[in-house]
Amino acid sequence: MEIPTLQPEFIWKLLGQQINSGDIPYVAIIDNTGPLSAMVYWFNDILFSNSWLSFRMIASAIIFFQVFYTNHMFIENNAYDESNYLPAFFMLLLYQLSFDFMTLSPALMGSTFVLLALSKLLSQTSVNTNTVPSVLLMGIYAGIAFCFHFPYLLFLPLLIFSGLLINGFSFQQLALILTAFLLPTAFCALFFFWHDALSNFIEMYFTLALKLEKIYHVTYKDLGYIFMLPLLIAIMGYLKNNILRRLTVNQQKQNQLFLLFLIFNIGMFFLMDRVSPFQFISIIPVLTYFITHFFSIAKTKLVQNVLGYSLFLILPLMGYSWTFYLLNDNSFSSYKLENVGTYGIPGNEKVMVLGNDLAPYQHTNMASPYLNFRLTEIYFEKMGKMQRKTRFYRDLKKEQPTIIIDEAGVFDDWVKDLPKIKPLYTRSNNGLIYRGNQE
């Protein structure tokens, strides 16, 4: 099965191209992708032109690192009675649940640092004293994850709650976590301050992003089909772990910590602007922990082997069957990038799209700062009338598009009372494209 380019993937590719051309995020690019994710797409564009293959290869490398590190983390903290590679095995199976787990998303990149923070938090259940370096690194890793992906903001209260309720952190340690969490954000803010863009960064990544309406690339039914079985097995693993095992104090803390981690992962739904499986990718280490417990507590090796091999067949089958269904369903059009042509526009034209459909940029040159048009509309709405027109005038002067596709129907309003701009563009017969001479 060939997976077409996804809409978020194309946005990340365009973001890397624009930064590589000299544009600064949140100033010359209206988008709410995390600053560290934007930096990765910039480097990837320099090295590999943000190709589809590079997205898959880098994502695969990150996933294999996470699998290795998670297995090592469980062994190091004595999470199971026996040290083995069952967690790595089940974690690899869980990555087969959705095809978009295998793309270079901000959620995947940020989840690596969530995992590192989780490791430091987990280590605090295995020792009697809470070391300052671990607490400091815990906050820094969580802060870096937030700078990759906005919904990971929720892991700050997770660290605080788990520190208070499970690990018994002191006020000084909680203050250290908060300070460490804010450090990566402070460095990002300093960068944008140097470029006279601090207010844009705060506005687009913090305040306006919360006002975005969700885009549902998949339905609740799809999410249920993907995650219901792993969640059920994980809950059964949690219950069996508490009922059938004599847990040490450290293991009890680990069980409570991962349950809290599971709840907060599900709660990230309320901070997402796009609903799709890859947004929940940080839940996989938690599912791995409980699922491994479910199978490791089996009374006999025969039962354990039968259940393990059954899951080995069922999870990939669920993932591939859902993918096959989605590829043949009309609802997939809300997720994939449609290749429907470019209104007959030559490939060398500079195009500005006023709308959410980015497909015309596949074969033309993007000449627009409005990468996330939903965010652009909110950003423009908060402006005064003249301020909005001034911003649009400057954008047109800078980008100088030869063709404008007015999908949202806002062009006439935005150029009203701009006598130097309005005469340059005329509406074509299809009502979507404006053609004209550059000023």
Side-chain angles (χ1 to χ4, degrees):
M1 290 182 291
E2 183 179 353
I3 306 299
T5 302
L6 305 177
Q7 291 179 19
E9 285 181 319
F10 191 58
I11 290 175
W12 303 328
K13 179 178 181 178
L14 291 174
L15 176 61
Q17 290 177 354
Q18 287 187 295
I19 299 175
N20 195 20
S21 67
D23 292 336
I24 300 176
Y26 314 114
V27 180
I29 308 170
I30 299 181
D31 185 53
N32 64 328
T33 303
L36 295 185
S37 294
M39 183 182 69
V40 171
Y41 297 132
W42 171 38
F43 284 132
N44 192 33
D45 187 73
I46 294 173
L47 298 175
F48 308 111
S49 299
N50 275 323
S51 65
W52 183 91
L53 181 61
S54 70
F55 271 52
R56 298 300 186 270
M57 294 298 291
I58 299 174
S60 298
I62 293 175
I63 287 172
F64 279 115
F65 168 77
Q66 290 191 8
V67 169
F68 168 80
Y69 189 84
T70 300
N71 200 88
H72 172 74
M73 176 181 69
F74 290 150
I75 292 175
E76 189 179 51
N77 291 282
N78 300 313
Y80 307 105
D81 293 335
E82 297 180 5
S83 298
N84 52 47
Y85 291 97
L86 270 179
F89 171 73
F90 289 127
M91 195 169 179
L92 282 174
L93 290 180
L94 290 170
Y95 275 115
Q96 307 303 312
L97 286 172
S98 178
F99 58 88
D100 63 0
F101 287 166
M102 300 296 295
T103 190
L104 189 61
S105 65
L108 175 63
M109 292 185 284
S111 67
T112 303
F113 292 92
V114 170
L115 182 61
L116 294 173
L118 176 63
S119 175
K120 296 301 178 183
L121 182 60
L122 194 63
S123 69
Q124 300 304 298
T125 65
S126 303
V127 293
N128 294 323
T129 58
N130 299 310
T131 59
V132 171
S134 292
V135 174
L136 178 64
L137 288 173
M138 190 191 311
I140 290 176
Y141 287 145
I144 293 174
F146 167 65
C147 290
F148 272 103
H149 193 46
F150 181 80
Y152 289 154
L153 173 65
L154 205 60
F155 288 108
L156 176 59
L158 168 64
L159 295 178
I160 293 175
F161 284 138
S162 61
L164 284 172
L165 302 178
I166 300 173
N167 290 345
F169 282 178
S170 65
F171 173 79
Q172 289 84 355
Q173 290 166 327
L174 293 176
L176 182 60
I177 288 177
L178 178 60
T179 304
F181 182 90
L182 294 175
L183 276 178
T185 306
F187 280 112
C188 292
L190 181 61
F191 170 83
F192 290 107
F193 176 77
W194 282 339
H195 290 83
D196 196 25
L198 179 59
S199 61
N200 299 73
F201 170 58
I202 294 174
E203 197 168 35
M204 293 187 190
Y205 194 59
F206 290 86
T207 58
L208 296 184
L210 292 172
K211 298 180 181 180
L212 285 174
E213 292 186 9
K214 288 180 173 57
I215 293 180
Y216 288 85
H217 292 303
V218 297
T219 63
Y220 292 122
K221 181 181 177 182
D222 293 323
L223 293 175
Y225 180 78
I226 295 171
F227 290 110
M228 186 58 68
L229 179 61
L231 280 171
L232 286 175
I233 299 176
I235 293 172
M236 292 170 63
Y238 170 77
L239 295 175
K240 289 181 68 175
N241 203 23
N242 281 278
I243 296 172
L244 300 181
R245 285 185 65 191
R246 289 186 176 181
L247 301 177
T248 65
V249 174
N250 291 336
Q251 289 173 334
Q252 290 176 2
K253 289 182 178 181
Q254 291 173 5
N255 227 31
Q256 295 166 359
L257 173 62
F258 277 103
L259 179 62
L260 194 61
F261 198 84
L262 179 64
I263 294 171
F264 271 81
N265 265 276
I266 297 174
M268 283 197 308
F269 171 82
F270 299 101
L271 295 180
M272 298 173 182
D273 66 327
R274 295 177 180 271
V275 178
S276 54
F278 76 80
Q279 298 274 33
F280 297 93
I281 201 167
S282 61
I283 204 174
I284 287 183
V286 187
L287 296 176
T288 299
Y289 172 81
F290 288 122
I291 290 174
T292 304
H293 270 302
F294 175 80
F295 286 94
S296 63
I297 300 174
K299 293 182 178 180
T300 64
K301 286 291 183 182
L302 177 61
V303 174
Q304 185 178 1
N305 290 336
V306 170
L307 293 175
Y309 285 122
S310 298
L311 198 65
F312 174 73
L313 296 174
I314 292 173
L315 288 182
L317 180 62
M318 288 175 58
Y320 287 108
S321 63
W322 176 71
T323 301
F324 181 79
Y325 162 77
L326 202 63
L327 290 175
N328 293 277
D329 189 74
N330 292 332
S331 64
F332 192 44
S333 60
S334 66
Y335 201 8
K336 69 178 180 180
L337 183 69
E338 296 284 358
N339 191 5
V340 293
T342 55
Y343 307 96
I345 301 173
N348 60 345
E349 294 288 353
K350 298 174 65 177
V351 176
M352 173 183 285
V353 177
L354 301 178
N356 295 312
D357 182 15
L358 302 179
Y361 294 140
Q362 293 178 88
H363 309 292
T364 60
N365 297 317
M366 182 178 182
S368 171
Y370 314 131
L371 187 58
N372 186 331
F373 196 73
R374 294 179 300 133
L375 183 63
T376 301
E377 289 184 303
I378 296 174
Y379 180 57
F380 275 21
E381 283 175 4
K382 76 170 190 62
M383 294 181 176
K385 184 177 179 181
M386 290 309 300
Q387 188 180 7
R388 179 171 63 246
K389 293 181 184 298
T390 301
R391 170 64 196 252
F392 188 54
Y393 174 77
R394 289 175 178 172
D395 291 338
L396 288 176
K397 289 280 290 182
K398 176 179 179 292
E399 302 291 347
Q400 295 191 352
T402 55
I403 298 173
I404 300 175
I405 301 176
D406 187 19
E407 178 194 350
V410 297
F411 181 81
D412 289 336
D413 180 56
W414 287 0
V415 299
K416 188 177 181 181
D417 301 324
L418 295 178
K420 292 186 177 181
I421 295 296
K422 191 173 182 179
L424 299 179
Y425 295 93
T426 57
R427 186 182 295 271
S428 63
N429 293 331
N430 60 20
L432 292 176
I433 304 174
Y434 286 80
R435 299 178 183 271
N437 299 320
Q438 300 181 30
E439 185 176 3

